[in-house]
Amino acid sequence: MIRFRSLGTAGALAGVLACIAATAGQAPEAMPPVDRQGIFDAFGWQPDAIEVSTQTIAPGFHVLFGMGGNIAASIGPQGTLLVDDQFPEIRDDLDVALSRLGSISVDFIVNTHWHFDHADGNMSYGPDGTWLVSQANARAGMAKGGLVDLVSVVYDQKPYPADALPVITFDDHMSFHFNGEQIDLLHAGPAHTTGDTAVIFRGRNAVHLGDVFNNAGWPFIDTGSGGDLDGMIAFCTAVLAEIDDETAVIPGHGPVTNRAELKRYVELLSIARDRISALIAAGASLEEVMAARPTADLDGEMGDPVRFVNRAYMSLTRAVDD
């Protein structure tokens, strides 16, 4: 195993590359995309077997866990606002869970980005009259559809019908005044995608970051739709400036956590970015970077790095080309 003590010199990098050059493999052929059932099978998702669970963060404010990205719910005298909505296949289970929390109907849904596991529920809630909201680029992604290359599997996300598209969009910032608090929507540039939104609940002191923050392992960077590792770091850093040590931090996936853990996440992404960038600067191919295991000493904390390192390389080499 190669341990990275310092990657500051070209000589050290040359030695690393010489060691791994002999074992570097060929790039895999492009995988055919899978359909909806294929992506369910790939992730082991069985809608009929899903049990939606809830976590109360503050009175009238909850997080729901089901199949896909985490959902935040503000429920109060003005109605219900959700952040993300998972899949139409589990709409009934979500509605039951929400009704137990006091919700009568879902009035607004803010999509943190355009990916299927966070926004496909639009196809159920939109036709029922729920107001859908997103960053402008996220709406464009939903309208156009496209291939989501998850490295191990490629999903063909189809364009959403008109009644499943956000009817309200913003560029950098907008606010709700709902259920007794200000809710700020923040876009800080390309990150996980080009259309990410952090939703900051000022009165409840909570933030939902969508998949810009993954608390279940190394994050996925959707480079095919403009995702950017430097942008993920910058986006999270911008959110850190908006919250405090008592803020409940809701990731796109994984358990609810706090500002300290978000800060640590930024540190880990920055370390990985610097190491991969140094290898690229020395001329490493994707296969050579993968073989060098640049996150080996961090993986015990973050999990399997294969998809992350692959997409990070794609992001950083695109930046070099630009």
Side-chain angles (χ1 to χ4, degrees):
M1 180 177 69
I2 300 169
R3 295 188 180 275
F4 287 85
R5 296 181 182 276
S6 172
L7 290 178
T9 68
L13 284 169
V16 169
L17 296 179
C19 290
I20 64 179
T23 60
Q26 299 298 313
E29 295 182 2
M31 291 179 291
V34 301
D35 60 11
R36 190 173 186 79
Q37 187 57 53
I39 200 67
F40 282 10
D41 292 343
F43 283 92
W45 288 332
Q46 300 180 36
D48 292 341
I50 292 297
E51 294 184 5
V52 176
S53 62
T54 63
Q55 178 181 349
T56 297
I57 305 300
F61 186 73
H62 317 270
V63 180
L64 286 76
F65 308 92
M67 188 176 82
N70 296 337
I71 296 173
S74 170
I75 301 171
Q78 290 181 284
T80 298
L81 179 149
L82 301 184
V83 180
D84 288 342
D85 52 22
Q86 297 187 357
F87 294 98
E89 287 85 348
I90 64 167
R91 162 76 185 271
D92 290 345
D93 298 292
L94 289 174
D95 284 347
V96 168
L98 288 167
S99 67
R100 289 172 178 164
L101 298 171
S103 175
I104 297 172
S105 63
V106 176
D107 302 284
F108 294 95
I109 294 174
V110 178
N111 297 131
T112 59
H113 60 294
W114 70 283
H115 284 161
F116 56 96
D117 57 326
H118 293 257
D120 268 13
N122 287 13
M123 290 184 278
S124 178
Y125 285 106
D128 282 353
T130 299
W131 292 81
L132 304 174
V133 183
S134 78
Q135 203 275 340
N137 294 331
R139 186 189 191 280
M142 295 177 212
K144 181 180 179 181
L147 299 180
V148 183
D149 185 352
L150 295 153
V151 181
S152 60
V153 62
V154 178
Y155 177 56
D156 184 9
Q157 181 166 327
K158 301 300 184 184
Y160 285 5
D163 57 7
L165 295 173
V167 296
I168 301 170
T169 63
F170 72 100
D171 291 326
D172 301 316
H173 182 272
M174 71 173 289
S175 296
F176 280 80
H177 298 271
F178 190 74
N179 286 338
E181 68 175 326
Q182 180 171 325
I183 304 170
D184 289 333
L185 278 55
L186 172 67
H187 172 70
H192 172 62
T193 66
T194 60
D196 301 296
T197 296
V199 186
I200 306 172
F201 296 83
R202 298 295 184 180
R204 313 298 170 83
N205 198 11
V207 59
H208 192 315
L209 285 95
D211 280 358
V212 178
F213 176 35
N214 186 344
N215 198 29
W218 287 108
F220 166 57
I221 308 163
D222 188 358
T223 56
S225 70
D228 183 79
L229 176 54
D230 284 325
M232 290 188 77
I233 293 167
F235 198 113
C236 290
T237 300
V239 172
L240 283 170
E242 295 284 336
I243 64 177
D244 61 38
D245 290 343
E246 304 304 316
T247 303
V249 178
I250 304 165
H253 299 271
V256 178
T257 187
N258 53 41
R259 187 180 188 277
E261 289 301 315
L262 178 60
K263 183 178 180 181
R264 175 58 177 164
Y265 175 81
V266 171
E267 292 171 351
L268 292 169
L269 293 188
S270 299
I271 292 169
R273 184 265 317 273
D274 292 347
R275 292 174 177 179
I276 296 169
S277 294
L279 287 164
I280 291 168
S285 67
L286 171 60
E287 292 75 21
E288 290 168 333
V289 169
M290 296 295 294
R293 300 182 63 200
T295 64
D297 58 329
L298 311 176
D299 296 341
E301 188 172 351
M302 293 295 289
D304 186 344
V306 171
R307 184 170 64 184
F308 168 73
V309 174
N310 181 295
R311 296 295 91 181
Y313 176 91
M314 295 300 179
S315 168
L316 294 167
T317 51
R318 180 181 60 202
V320 169
D321 291 340
D322 293 344

